[in-house]
Amino acid sequence: GAVVSQHPSRVICKSGTSVKIECRSLDFQATTMFWYRQFPKQSLMLMATSNEGSKATYEQGVEKDKFLINHASLTLSTLTVTSAHPEDSSFYICSARELAGIQETQYFGPGTRLLVL
Amino acid sequence: GESVGLHLPTLSVQEGDNSIINCAYSNSASDYFIWYKQESGKGPQFIIDIRSNMDKRQGQRVTVLLNKTVKHLSLQIAATQPGDSAVYFCAEIRGYQKVTFGTGTKLQVIP
């Protein structure tokens, strides 16, 4: 199946700093990628939809100036958590949409665990 | 909005037995459904999907059943193995893009 990677897998940062997380589709082109966050023992919550070459679409309640998304190419989307605070500590997961004919599937990255001190 | 932080429902199954994980969905306009498996500290892994015009689909050791009348989805795992221990999420997809996840069920396989 298709492979999606994320980097870094784990990051610890000080409060007030910015953190960039990369999401790459390794063997397919993804015009659309999605960013989720997941708190312990909870389900994945969609944060935003990242479209190549255009602005991201954010879900209600997600601050677009706080979580900057850039989908610069068909294989790369980045999420930057600006001025991170301890409450931003979470597991961030991206997914990429693969469209093969009429079959469409989303594949998920391994996740990035962010800890803000 | 954000879901409340509840403990995940847990299903404990003896190794070798069959497991059935259930999911209720709300939107009758969903185009298709996916089951994902998530191991601790990892991203979700695709297991199997089913389109809204189907009621059953089988994979390797897994079967998904869709009952649109009662908006219910189930995942059956045959001969459950310790490696099947994980959290399982059902997800509904509308417009072939937006994925909405269920709350998840933790499967615990007892050796």
Side-chain angles (χ1 to χ4, degrees):
Chain A
V3 178
V4 176
S5 71
Q6 277 183 245
H7 178 79
S9 59
R10 179 185 292 263
V11 57
I12 301 173
C13 69
K14 292 182 179 180
S15 185
T17 60
S18 294
V19 175
K20 180 186 281 189
I21 303 170
E22 292 185 349
C23 176
R24 292 182 186 272
S25 56
L26 297 186
D27 49 4
F28 66 100
Q29 293 184 331
T31 56
T32 306
M33 292 184 174
F34 304 87
W35 286 97
Y36 298 83
R37 67 187 297 182
Q38 185 180 34
F39 292 104
K41 297 186 178 180
Q42 291 192 32
S43 188
L44 286 77
M45 297 298 294
L46 179 65
M47 298 174 66
T49 302
S50 171
N51 300 297
E52 188 267 337
S54 66
K55 291 183 179 180
T57 304
Y58 290 82
E59 294 300 298
Q60 192 173 7
V62 178
E63 300 175 57
K64 61 181 181 181
D65 295 328
K66 171 79 172 174
F67 299 99
L68 299 178
I69 291 172
N70 183 19
H71 195 148
S73 74
L74 288 171
T75 59
L76 173 65
S77 175
T78 60
L79 168 68
T80 301
V81 183
T82 62
S83 187
H85 291 284
E87 58 266 29
D88 297 324
S89 299
S90 189
F91 194 45
Y92 291 87
I93 305 170
C94 73
S95 72
R97 175 174 173 246
E98 183 192 30
L99 186 62
I102 60 171
Q103 179 70 28
E104 184 258 341
T105 304
Q106 287 195 25
Y107 294 95
F108 286 81
T112 297
R113 190 163 298 282
L114 171 63
L115 177 61
V116 185
L117 302 176
Chain B
E2 292 277 339
S3 60
V4 177
L6 301 172
H7 289 292
L8 289 170
T10 300
L11 174 66
S12 296
V13 175
Q14 203 73 38
E15 181 179 357
D17 287 351
N18 296 335
S19 304
I20 300 177
I21 301 171
N22 296 304
C23 178
Y25 64 94
S26 56
N27 195 326
S28 57
S30 297
D31 297 300
Y32 70 111
F33 305 85
I34 303 178
W35 278 101
Y36 288 98
K37 171 186 179 183
Q38 186 178 27
E39 296 173 348
S40 181
K42 297 182 180 180
Q45 178 186 356
F46 174 92
I47 301 174
I48 190 168
D49 62 2
I50 186 168
R51 297 206 170 272
S52 59
N53 61 354
M54 301 169 67
D55 52 24
K56 181 179 180 179
R57 190 169 186 211
Q58 286 185 292
Q60 189 177 18
R61 273 202 314 123
V62 295
T63 300
V64 56
L65 298 177
L66 174 62
N67 185 330
K68 293 183 285 294
T69 303
V70 296
K71 296 180 185 174
H72 183 267
L73 194 67
S74 70
L75 176 70
Q76 300 177 6
I77 304 174
T80 313
Q81 302 167 0
D84 295 328
S85 294
V87 176
Y88 289 80
F89 293 98
C90 68
E92 55 181 307
I93 294 86
R94 275 164 278 153
Y96 291 93
Q97 184 143 295
K98 186 168 182 175
V99 181
T100 303
F101 283 85
T103 52
T105 297
K106 182 177 180 180
L107 176 64
Q108 222 165 35
V109 181
I110 305 165

